[in-house]
């Protein structure tokens, strides 16, 4: 069933309320997880038509500044996979995993995977708050319009690896976290060398995890 404008508006508000609550108190995620999964599952068939054509411009600007090409990349909250495809296209040696809690989104992502990327891009149902991956197993972790779970981000990013958090409409994005907060949370977990980007209507933050001591 097609989502009406009222449901979309409520969805945007719920997404922002969830983001604010979970960034302030990650343990609240358990209350929001089910409703948010249902919400995005319902949006999946229309998701690509709801996204702005330049939605990933800030992500692309940050990727331009990566210090080195990643061999293994993780796209959290991948939705229909757009950011995973961008990363795989840019870095022809990279294996890319896109993760989402909404199976309906992943079904679209799998269906849309270009044949030339299908050997390197896979999609997996998982929760970004408890990822089924080893410590330090990704050289790049991307989040496009996605709630950050900082402890897991720090755990799965390899020392010397990078993370990119992008927001397609800057502070107007329903899922948005203030850059100051992002820097504070990431800085407390060993990330530094922060760089900000603007492109289209959006913003992105690039951060690098420190080398092992
Ligand atoms: C606003 S959409 C962004 C989708 C895509 N990154 C894009 O920019 O088009 C957020 C996505 O994150 C997923 N999501 C939200 N919380 C999640 C979590 N804890 N773990 C994995 N995926 C999550 C939702 O199901 C949804 O597909």
């Amino acid at each position: 069933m097609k989502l009406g404008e009222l449901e979309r508006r409520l969805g945007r508000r719920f997404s922002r309320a969830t983001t604010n609550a979970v960034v302030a108190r990650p343990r609240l995620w358990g209350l929001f997880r089910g409703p948010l999964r249902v919400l995005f599952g319902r949006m999946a068939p229309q998701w690509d038509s709801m996204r702005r054509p330049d939605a990933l411009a800030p992500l692309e600007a940050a990727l331009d500044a990566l210090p080195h090409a990643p061999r293994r990349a993780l796209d959290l909250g991948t939705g229909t996979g757009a950011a995973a495809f961008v990363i795989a296209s840019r870095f022809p040696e990279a294996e890319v995993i896109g993760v989402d809690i909404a199976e309906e989104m992943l079904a679209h992502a799998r269906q849309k995977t270009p044949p030339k990327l299908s050997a390197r891009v896979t999609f997996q149902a998982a929760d970004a708050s408890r990822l089924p991956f080893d410590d330090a197993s990704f050289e790049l972790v991307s989040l496009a319009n996605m709630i950050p779970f900082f402890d897991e981000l720090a755990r799965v990013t390899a020392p010397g690896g990078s993370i990119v958090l992008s927001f397609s409409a800057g502070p107007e994005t329903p899922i948005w976290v203030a850059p100051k907060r992002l820097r504070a949370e990431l800085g407390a977990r060993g990330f530094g060398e922060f760089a900000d980007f603007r492109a289209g209507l959006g913003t992105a933050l690039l951060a690098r995890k420190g080398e092992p001591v």
Side-chain angles (χ1 to χ4, degrees):
M1 193 176 69
K2 210 163 156 53
L3 291 179
E5 181 49 34
L6 178 63
E7 195 173 356
R8 286 188 194 199
R9 208 179 304 162
L10 289 172
R12 286 195 285 267
R13 286 195 182 186
F14 184 69
S15 296
R16 175 59 72 93
T18 301
T19 305
N20 290 343
V22 170
V23 167
R25 289 173 187 251
R27 290 172 69 169
L28 290 177
W29 172 238
L31 297 176
F32 291 96
R33 184 184 187 282
L36 203 76
R37 188 174 56 74
V38 170
L39 174 71
F40 281 107
R42 281 179 54 77
M43 285 188 198
Q46 295 161 60
W47 185 252
D48 286 340
S49 63
M50 289 166 66
R51 297 171 70 249
R52 297 173 49 83
D54 61 356
L56 294 181
L59 169 72
E60 299 241 29
L63 294 178
D64 284 343
L66 276 188
H68 50 77
R71 280 167 300 189
R72 199 155 182 255
L74 176 66
D75 182 42
L76 293 172
T78 194
T80 54
F85 300 141
V86 163
I87 293 166
S89 301
R90 270 177 175 253
F91 304 112
E93 305 296 316
E95 173 199 355
V96 183
I97 301 176
V99 153
D100 206 285
I101 49 168
E103 283 284 2
E104 298 90 333
M105 286 284 195
L106 295 171
H108 284 270
R110 289 184 185 111
Q111 198 190 350
K112 279 175 50 193
T113 305
K116 65 175 192 264
L117 300 182
S118 63
R120 294 187 293 114
V121 181
T122 54
F123 294 99
Q124 193 170 329
D127 187 332
S129 73
R130 261 182 84 179
L131 289 165
F133 304 115
D134 291 340
D135 296 357
S137 50
F138 294 96
E139 290 165 345
L140 172 66
V141 181
S142 60
L143 299 87
N145 311 307
M146 165 64 187
I147 303 167
F149 291 87
F150 297 104
D151 289 342
E152 279 296 79
L153 281 179
R155 187 182 69 75
V156 300
T157 306
S162 299
I163 65 171
V164 179
L165 300 102
S166 65
F167 304 99
S168 298
E172 304 303 316
T173 315
I175 293 180
W176 177 77
V177 182
K180 200 173 155 191
R181 182 75 189 244
L182 292 176
R183 285 173 181 243
E185 298 283 358
L186 294 169
R189 292 167 176 83
F191 288 88
E193 299 183 30
F194 296 106
D196 291 299
F197 301 86
R198 282 180 182 279
L201 293 182
T203 55
L205 178 71
L206 171 65
R208 187 154 182 262
K209 190 170 168 187
E211 299 289 348
V213 282

